């Protein structure tokens, strides 16, 4: 690949030329937001998959009862082909050339795609450890079809990983009458929920007819199942690896700075940060956002959805992977792209960008979950309701310095005898009435201080807990 850019390409008409790499939710919303804001230049979309934009959550949640894709044209009312001047599905990006003075060229097997502004919306790819090629993954429409066909042939299903996707598929398969075993290397399922809340979800597996093996690292995957570190084998006609996903940014190479996970650091307006550092790496109630100096040193590249690592004044650094971010972030990016193309980004910087509350939802093992905010690894937990009971419950994550009387290291991590604390996240389980209240509590400029006694009382509205 040449190290220098080809000669600059003149703008495509008075509006300029925008290339969007990625034809999923974030890519589609970017194109729609550009048009909604009056952009009349050329929009060229490159999609690695051969399909029109579709919604990914139903791939696992409705794997067996809704085999047809949930097309986003129907879900959102956006027709990508009507909005964009050119749509090339099945044409993956292979490389990127960036001119510090403004030119951007995306390399593909079918030739170059030059742009005055580039939006990276390539999403993520499922992690598959080396040597596990015989196992299936679930992230794309084609993945779902292969998994559905395999399950249709019968036989036991082995799921490696007790995270969101693993739990969702296990529940769906068990409900369809399949024998299902979920194998987790850690001591508890649902690692994303933390060491206190994760174990509360373990009984759900047996209740759903799923065998759960904890503390059982897999060392090999083969046609007949998996081998565990203790020397035992778990037989399975189908093996699904559900051990996470990573941003799909390998094609960018060293053209832009990426984190070890492959994320692209962006400023508050989703512009990729080059020549500047995202300030801070933890939550900062009322903190700052990347300065204009860093943004001005950036190329004409924006990133949205799973690939973006954004700075939140409320939560610190927020990785992608939130469906809500792929839905809402593109509108912020589109405004900044238009300001850049019209030359107004320095004279008239975009207005203060919104700081959406991180939000993840899941339907798994007979339960409806919603996680809002960004709990930290040392946070304490306040249960709202009984996690072992039959009714819905909520877990409140509170910064570890809650006072007075916060438990010290080595305790269970469940707060008792504490009057107030800073709320960092909320998990609701079969308790939808707390979702909207949690979003409002966490939607201010900084993290809220709450009355923990009021928050822990399931008979009181969650909004009553707000102190500041």
């Amino acid at each position: 690949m040449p190290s220098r850019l080809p000669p600059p390409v003149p703008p495509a008409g008075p509006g300029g030329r925008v290339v969007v790499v990625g034809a999923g939710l974030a890519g589609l919303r970017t194109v729609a937001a550009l048009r909604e804001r009056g952009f009349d230049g050329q929009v060229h979309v490159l999609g690695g998959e051969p399909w029109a934009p579709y919604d990914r959550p139903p791939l696992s949640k409705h794997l067996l009862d809704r085999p047809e894709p949930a097309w986003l044209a129907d879900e959102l009312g956006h027709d990508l082909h009507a909005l964009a001047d050119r749509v090339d599905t099945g044409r993956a990006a292979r490389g990127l050339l960036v001119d510090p003075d403004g030119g951007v060229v995306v390399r593909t097997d079918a030739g170059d795609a030059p742009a005055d502004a580039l939006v990276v919306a390539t999403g993520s790819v499922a992690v598959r450890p080396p040597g596990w090629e015989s196992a299936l993954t679930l992230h794309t429409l084609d993945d779902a079809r292969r998994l559905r066909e395999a399950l249709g042939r019968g036989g036991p299903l082995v799921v490696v990983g007790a995270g969101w996707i693993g739990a969702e598929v296990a529940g769906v398969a068990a409900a369809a009458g399949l024998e299902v075993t979920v194998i987790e290397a850690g001591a508890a399922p649902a690692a994303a929920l933390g060491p206190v809340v994760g174990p509360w979800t373990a009984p759900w597996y047996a209740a759903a007819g799923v065998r759960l093996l904890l503390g059982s690292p897999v060392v090999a995957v083969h046609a007949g199942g998996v081998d565990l570190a203790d020397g035992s084998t778990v037989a399975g006609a189908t093996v699904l690896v559900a051990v996470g996903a990573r941003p799909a940014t390998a094609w960018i190479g060293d053209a832009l700075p990426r984190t070890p996970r492959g994320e692209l650091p962006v400023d508050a307006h989703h512009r990729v940060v080059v020549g500047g550092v995202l300030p801070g790496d933890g939550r900062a109630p009322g903190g700052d956002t990347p300065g204009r100096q860093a943004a001005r040193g950036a190329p004409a590249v924006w990133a949205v959805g799973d690939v973006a690592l954004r700075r939140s004044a409320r939560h610190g650094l927020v990785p992608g992977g939130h469906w809500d971010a792929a839905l809402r972030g593109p509108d912020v990016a589109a405004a900044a792209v238009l300001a850049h193309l019209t030359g107004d980004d320095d004279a008239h910087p975009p207005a203060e960008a919104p700081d959406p509350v991180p939000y993840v939802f899941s339907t798994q093992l007979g339960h409806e979950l919603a996680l809002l905010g960004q709990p930290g690894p040392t946070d304490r937990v306040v249960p709202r309701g009984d996690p072992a009971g039959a009714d819905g419950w909520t877990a409140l994550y509170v910064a570890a310095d809650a006072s007075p009387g916060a438990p010290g290291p080595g305790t269970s991590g469940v707060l008792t005898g504490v009057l107030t604390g800073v709320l960092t996240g909320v998990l609701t389980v079969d308790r939808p009435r707390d979702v909207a209240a949690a979003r409002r509590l966490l939607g201010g400029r900084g993290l809220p201080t709450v009355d923990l006694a009021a928050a822990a009382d399931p008979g009181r509205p969650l909004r009553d807990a707000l102190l500041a």
Side-chain angles (χ1 to χ4, degrees):
M1 182 180 297
S3 59
R4 296 183 61 84
L5 281 169
V9 178
R17 177 189 290 107
V18 177
V19 171
V20 178
V21 183
L25 173 60
L28 174 62
R29 275 298 306 147
T30 297
V31 177
L34 286 169
R35 296 306 192 202
E36 289 165 358
R37 290 178 174 273
F39 179 61
D40 59 0
Q42 290 190 11
V43 177
H44 183 185
V45 179
L46 300 171
E49 296 182 60
W51 311 109
Y54 60 89
D55 204 14
R56 294 189 189 277
L59 297 181
S60 54
K61 296 174 176 64
H62 297 284
L63 176 68
L64 299 180
D65 67 344
R66 192 186 299 174
E68 291 303 312
W71 301 114
L72 290 175
D74 299 327
E75 301 280 327
L76 300 181
H78 300 324
D79 184 341
L80 182 61
H81 288 270
L83 293 169
D85 297 281
R86 179 174 177 179
V87 177
D88 290 324
T89 53
R91 183 181 173 186
R94 302 299 185 192
L96 179 65
L97 298 176
V98 177
D99 183 345
D101 294 327
V104 184
V105 174
V106 179
R107 315 303 300 269
T108 79
D109 292 340
D112 293 348
D116 301 303
L118 168 67
V119 180
V120 180
T122 40
S124 55
V125 292
V127 172
R128 188 201 307 267
W132 293 15
E133 287 74 16
S134 63
L136 300 178
T137 58
L138 180 57
H139 189 72
T140 70
L141 177 58
D142 288 333
D143 289 342
R145 287 174 171 171
R146 283 189 288 266
L147 178 58
R148 194 159 39 243
E149 291 171 359
L151 297 180
R153 293 191 289 269
L157 167 65
V158 175
V159 179
V160 182
W164 299 91
I165 297 297
E168 289 175 0
V169 173
V172 166
L178 293 172
E179 177 186 338
V180 182
T181 300
V182 174
I183 303 173
E184 169 58 43
L193 301 182
V196 176
V197 180
W200 293 348
T201 71
W204 298 353
Y205 287 80
V210 176
R211 178 189 181 201
L212 174 63
L213 301 181
L214 297 173
S216 303
V218 172
V219 296
V221 175
H222 45 78
V226 302
D227 297 333
L228 304 184
D230 64 4
S232 63
T233 295
V234 178
T238 302
V239 177
L240 172 69
V241 177
V243 293
R246 293 292 182 270
T249 58
W251 61 277
I252 291 174
D254 59 1
L256 295 170
R258 296 182 292 144
T259 70
R261 292 188 70 255
E263 298 146 321
L264 293 169
V266 300
D267 67 13
H269 300 278
H270 286 269
R271 192 168 186 173
V272 173
V273 175
V274 178
V277 178
L278 286 172
D281 59 0
R283 57 175 81 97
D288 57 2
T289 56
R292 297 291 300 165
Q293 181 178 359
R296 279 197 291 267
V301 182
W302 287 256
V304 293
D306 291 0
V307 301
L309 177 67
R310 72 175 178 90
R311 170 68 171 161
S312 165
R314 188 189 314 112
H315 297 286
L317 298 182
V318 178
H322 307 113
W323 187 89
D324 229 28
L327 180 70
R328 303 179 189 280
D331 193 60
V332 177
V337 169
L338 292 183
H340 168 76
L341 291 175
T342 58
D344 289 341
D345 52 349
D346 287 323
H348 304 286
E352 182 179 357
D355 188 3
V357 177
Y359 170 60
V360 182
F361 61 93
S362 178
T363 301
Q364 56 181 257
L365 304 164
H367 298 277
E368 298 287 340
L369 284 67
L371 177 63
L372 300 100
Q374 185 159 286
T378 62
D379 285 351
R380 306 302 183 183
V381 175
V382 175
R384 177 174 165 85
D386 182 7
D391 298 327
W393 52 274
T394 292
L396 308 174
Y397 295 86
V398 180
D401 57 356
S403 60
T411 70
S412 67
V414 176
L415 281 178
T416 58
V418 180
L419 300 180
T420 66
V422 176
L423 189 68
T424 65
V426 175
L427 171 74
T428 70
V429 177
D430 301 327
R431 195 175 169 88
R433 60 183 175 277
D434 280 350
V435 174
R439 191 186 295 274
R440 286 191 293 270
L441 283 176
L442 292 168
R445 294 185 65 87
L447 293 173
T449 298
V450 296
D451 178 331
L452 297 180
D457 184 351
R460 296 182 62 178
L462 188 55
R463 64 176 181 271
D464 288 355
L466 179 64
L467 295 176

